[in-house]
Amino acid sequence: MAASIAPIASQATKLTTTQQYAEFIDKFDTFLLDCDGVVWQGSHVIEGISETLDMLRSRGKRILFVTNNSTKSREAYTAKFEKIGIHAKEEEIFGSAFATAVYLSSVSKLPEGKKAYVIGMDGIRQEFALQNIPIADSEEDLADMTDDAFATIKPDEDVGAVVIGFDTHINYRKYAKAFTLLTRVPDCRFIATNTDLTFPAAGFQFPGTGALVSVLSTSTGRQPTVIGKPHQTMLDCIVEKYHLDRDRTCMVGDRLDTDIQFGINGGISTLLVLSGVTYEHQLHTENPSSVPTYYMDSLGHLAKVRDDQ
Amino acid sequence: MAASIAPIASQATKLTTTQQYAEFIDKFDTFLLDCDGVVWQGSHVIEGISETLDMLRSRGKRILFVTNNSTKSREAYTAKFEKIGIHAKEEEIFGSAFATAVYLSSVSKLPEGKKAYVIGMDGIRQEFALQNIPIADSEEDLADMTDDAFATIKPDEDVGAVVIGFDTHINYRKYAKAFTLLTRVPDCRFIATNTDLTFPAAGFQFPGTGALVSVLSTSTGRQPTVIGKPHQTMLDCIVEKYHLDRDRTCMVGDRLDTDIQFGINGGISTLLVLSGVTYEHQLHTENPSSVPTYYMDSLGHLAKVRDDQ
């Protein structure tokens, strides 16, 4: 087959020596870290990670854990980190629930007096409360959906956005309400915390937020604004919140099509780690899905950098 | 703009005189009738329909009401017909719940000893019971989905098919179970009663079966076998059940892209009625979505045919 006219992918630089690690660290002020495959793998923390985090903090680097999981607030996430033995401060955690709250309160504000109709779990509601975003949904949405209930579902003109995240209490009544808002309330926005098609739990995959969102996108014909990786919105929220210098920020992740593409889309440097789902040979194919700026075996190896380097 | 090279659509014949109506009726032994827009419009029966049905029956014609709605069994549908004032026999009703039961018991049988995991309402369960198709789902699927529940969801090797229809009691636990079966049980089939994206109720639209199905198709990457119109499976089930002669069968409907296309796909004649969602000018565009064999203002006009015609 003749080669296509696609541009030749630029090469990623592999970091292998302590000297290279030290130079890499010096280039950046902020490291955005994906969690699964970078910090932990399943239920165990990747070797050297705690030491790496301590070393980076001691050098004044900012660490932000960036996760598409919308089920937990930053406060709840901190507890999860502590439980598996990693120290993390609340302000270091940037989940898609918090990102969505930042988005609707700072980046693309809900009009004054408008509420959000939320399909999701406590994480979103807690973060929305902290950012003073009023919520329209209620306990009644958990009630059984009867034939008579269809007639009671009305377009609430006070709702300015339908927000959908992962929700193990998803039901037809929530979908029917969201559909009614999205099709019959003028200017009602449609926002998804993320669009991961699967959700990892108990060692297996299950339907993820992106799958739950598809009920609304297929039936309304509308596509949501997506906050989470690899969409740009999440990075815009992070930059807005922390006033980051994109030239001094590096995204670290184990997935080419989400983490690395997320960094590339946002015009920041990227580091792929091979401690998760990606193998080195996937970088050396003719058309890798995304090419990181750097790659290394594990972020835990950065701990080899000594204080005098 | 230059005309495209698309073939010129063949012309549909408009039926306007009593003589034409009589000749049309003589051509067929069986009429497959869509319900909404043909028999009734919203909550009122279309004028002349009861008389038309009586006349057709008196001439020995077989009438089958063909509907994608899977929520009701034939028995329950008969009661619905009577309630709005139309006499219909149970064996004249062919809903997608019954069609799915025929499919799994006669057209493409479940292997001996295999069960169906059903997401859907009573209609499917009742029709499956009548066709002796064992069902795998249980009351427990309606229980609250907790974090601990993920670990309890196991692939049940006795399940040969996941069947999904419209379900106002849809929940995450059902989706998680269906996902687990579809991804971890070898040869587990994936069947949707229909893929209508919206469901009409209380004068408005709400998310339909096709929207609910998308959770499983997006997360598993699998596409279901679809039973309902415009898919061919439903017609195969009808022909199998009633041993119909396709040359003497006519599909009557008000939608070009579902009803008429359904008939065309099945190699039978089609009659479009203008008593529903389609306007006559839509047939006269350069590229109508589907071209029926015949069209007329309303099926109720056939009642003008007298006994001596």
Side-chain angles (χ1 to χ4, degrees):
Chain A
M1 299 288 287
S4 76
I5 54 165
I8 295 166
S10 52
Q11 290 293 303
T13 301
K14 184 164 190 179
L15 307 179
T16 52
T17 68
T18 314
Q19 178 66 27
Q20 286 177 310
Y21 299 159
E23 287 171 9
F24 165 77
I25 293 166
D26 281 347
K27 284 189 165 53
F28 303 103
D29 299 326
T30 303
F31 295 92
L32 310 181
L33 308 188
D34 175 43
C35 297
D36 201 26
V38 175
V39 176
W40 58 70
Q41 180 67 282
S43 58
H44 82 273
V45 176
I46 288 170
E47 197 181 333
I49 285 295
S50 283
E51 296 80 357
T52 294
L53 298 177
D54 288 345
M55 179 270 292
L56 291 172
R57 289 186 188 110
S58 74
R59 291 176 178 234
K61 306 296 184 185
R62 186 199 298 272
I63 292 163
L64 292 173
F65 300 97
V66 177
T67 170
N68 275 358
N69 188 313
S70 68
T71 63
K72 291 184 175 62
S73 64
R74 285 165 301 162
E75 187 183 353
Y77 244 109
T78 310
K80 178 183 170 172
F81 272 73
E82 295 296 339
K83 195 173 161 189
I84 64 168
I86 298 172
H87 175 63
K89 286 171 283 194
E90 201 173 307
E91 62 268 28
E92 288 180 332
I93 294 166
F94 211 94
S96 66
F98 178 55
T100 304
V102 170
Y103 180 74
L104 286 177
S105 61
S106 305
V107 178
S108 180
K109 286 188 190 182
L110 267 187
E112 195 67 37
K114 291 283 188 178
K115 295 181 285 187
Y117 181 77
V118 175
I119 295 178
M121 302 182 73
D122 287 347
I124 300 180
R125 287 185 183 76
Q126 288 164 6
E127 297 293 4
F128 276 32
L130 290 170
Q131 304 297 324
N132 299 311
I133 300 169
I135 289 178
D137 53 296
S138 67
E139 280 295 311
E140 153 201 310
D141 296 340
L142 295 174
D144 189 40
M145 180 73 194
T146 58
D147 280 356
D148 293 341
F150 282 104
T152 69
I153 295 172
K154 305 282 187 194
D156 177 351
E157 305 278 341
D158 291 340
V159 174
V162 167
V163 175
I164 174 166
F166 188 69
D167 188 352
T168 56
H169 300 108
I170 189 70
N171 64 24
Y172 192 83
R173 194 185 281 262
K174 294 182 186 184
Y175 276 139
K177 279 197 167 188
F179 177 93
T180 299
L181 293 164
L182 290 171
T183 55
R184 294 168 55 198
V185 173
D187 303 324
C188 182
R189 292 156 66 187
F190 182 18
I191 293 163
T193 59
N194 63 301
T195 46
D196 297 52
L197 291 176
T198 57
F199 180 86
F204 291 96
Q205 297 295 318
F206 293 94
T209 311
L212 300 183
V213 169
S214 68
V215 173
L216 296 177
S217 52
T218 56
S219 57
T220 66
R222 294 183 59 173
Q223 291 304 315
T225 298
V226 183
I227 304 297
K229 298 176 288 182
H231 291 262
Q232 205 43 93
T233 323
M234 185 105 152
L235 197 57
D236 291 343
C237 294
I238 295 172
V239 169
E240 165 74 23
K241 189 73 188 172
Y242 297 101
H243 309 292
L244 300 183
D245 176 356
R246 292 188 192 230
D247 289 341
R248 300 278 301 164
T249 301
C250 185
M251 174 69 205
V252 183
D254 71 321
R255 289 180 185 268
L256 291 172
D257 56 353
T258 51
D259 303 319
I260 301 307
Q261 193 57 46
F262 172 67
I264 292 170
N265 290 347
I268 63 177
S269 295
T270 55
L271 170 68
L272 176 80
V273 292
L274 302 174
S275 51
V277 300
T278 305
Y279 295 95
E280 187 165 359
H281 70 80
Q282 290 172 258
L283 282 176
H284 300 310
T285 58
E286 201 176 332
N287 290 301
S289 58
S290 309
V291 179
T293 324
Y294 307 98
Y295 70 107
M296 65 188 295
D297 290 333
S298 164
L299 192 70
H301 293 186
L302 290 188
K304 293 174 185 165
V305 176
R306 299 285 153 237
D307 285 348
D308 57 349
Q309 283 179 309
Chain B
M1 298 287 287
S4 76
I5 55 164
I8 295 167
S10 51
Q11 290 293 305
T13 301
K14 185 165 189 180
L15 308 180
T16 52
T17 68
T18 313
Q19 178 66 26
Q20 285 176 309
Y21 299 158
E23 286 171 10
F24 165 76
I25 294 167
D26 281 345
K27 284 187 163 56
F28 304 103
D29 298 326
T30 304
F31 296 91
L32 309 180
L33 308 189
D34 174 44
C35 296
D36 202 24
V38 176
V39 176
W40 58 69
Q41 180 67 282
S43 58
H44 81 273
V45 176
I46 288 170
E47 198 182 331
I49 285 295
S50 284
E51 296 79 358
T52 294
L53 297 177
D54 288 343
M55 180 270 293
L56 290 172
R57 288 185 189 111
S58 75
R59 290 174 180 234
K61 306 296 182 183
R62 186 199 298 273
I63 294 165
L64 291 173
F65 299 97
V66 177
T67 169
N68 275 357
N69 187 314
S70 69
T71 63
K72 291 185 175 63
S73 64
R74 285 167 301 162
E75 187 184 351
Y77 244 109
T78 309
K80 178 183 169 173
F81 272 72
E82 294 297 339
K83 195 173 159 189
I84 64 167
I86 299 173
H87 175 64
K89 285 172 282 191
E90 203 173 307
E91 62 267 28
E92 288 180 332
I93 294 167
F94 211 94
S96 67
F98 177 55
T100 304
V102 170
Y103 181 74
L104 285 177
S105 60
S106 306
V107 178
S108 179
K109 285 188 190 182
L110 268 187
E112 195 67 36
K114 292 282 188 180
K115 295 181 286 189
Y117 181 76
V118 175
I119 296 178
M121 301 182 74
D122 288 347
I124 301 180
R125 288 185 182 76
Q126 289 164 5
E127 297 292 5
F128 277 31
L130 290 171
Q131 304 295 324
N132 299 311
I133 300 168
I135 289 179
D137 54 296
S138 67
E139 279 295 312
E140 151 202 310
D141 296 339
L142 295 174
D144 190 39
M145 180 74 194
T146 59
D147 281 355
D148 294 340
F150 283 105
T152 69
I153 295 172
K154 306 283 186 196
D156 178 352
E157 304 278 340
D158 292 340
V159 174
V162 166
V163 175
I164 174 167
F166 187 69
D167 188 353
T168 55
H169 300 108
I170 189 70
N171 64 23
Y172 191 83
R173 193 184 282 262
K174 294 183 185 183
Y175 277 138
K177 280 198 165 186
F179 177 93
T180 299
L181 293 163
L182 290 171
T183 56
R184 293 168 57 197
V185 173
D187 302 324
C188 182
R189 292 155 66 188
F190 182 19
I191 292 164
T193 59
N194 63 300
T195 46
D196 298 52
L197 291 174
T198 57
F199 180 87
F204 291 97
Q205 297 295 318
F206 293 93
T209 311
L212 300 183
V213 169
S214 68
V215 172
L216 297 177
S217 52
T218 57
S219 58
T220 66
R222 295 183 59 174
Q223 291 305 315
T225 298
V226 183
I227 306 295
K229 299 176 288 181
H231 292 262
Q232 203 45 93
T233 323
M234 185 105 153
L235 197 58
D236 291 343
C237 294
I238 295 173
V239 169
E240 164 75 22
K241 189 73 188 171
Y242 297 100
H243 309 290
L244 299 184
D245 176 354
R246 291 189 193 232
D247 288 341
R248 301 278 303 165
T249 302
C250 184
M251 173 69 203
V252 183
D254 72 321
R255 288 179 186 270
L256 291 172
D257 57 353
T258 51
D259 303 318
I260 301 307
Q261 194 57 48
F262 172 67
I264 292 170
N265 290 347
I268 63 176
S269 295
T270 54
L271 169 68
L272 175 79
V273 291
L274 301 174
S275 50
V277 300
T278 304
Y279 294 95
E280 187 165 358
H281 71 80
Q282 290 172 261
L283 281 177
H284 301 308
T285 58
E286 203 176 330
N287 290 301
S289 59
S290 308
V291 179
T293 324
Y294 306 97
Y295 71 106
M296 66 190 293
D297 289 332
S298 164
L299 192 69
H301 292 187
L302 291 189
K304 292 175 187 165
V305 175
R306 298 286 152 235
D307 286 346
D308 57 348
Q309 283 179 308

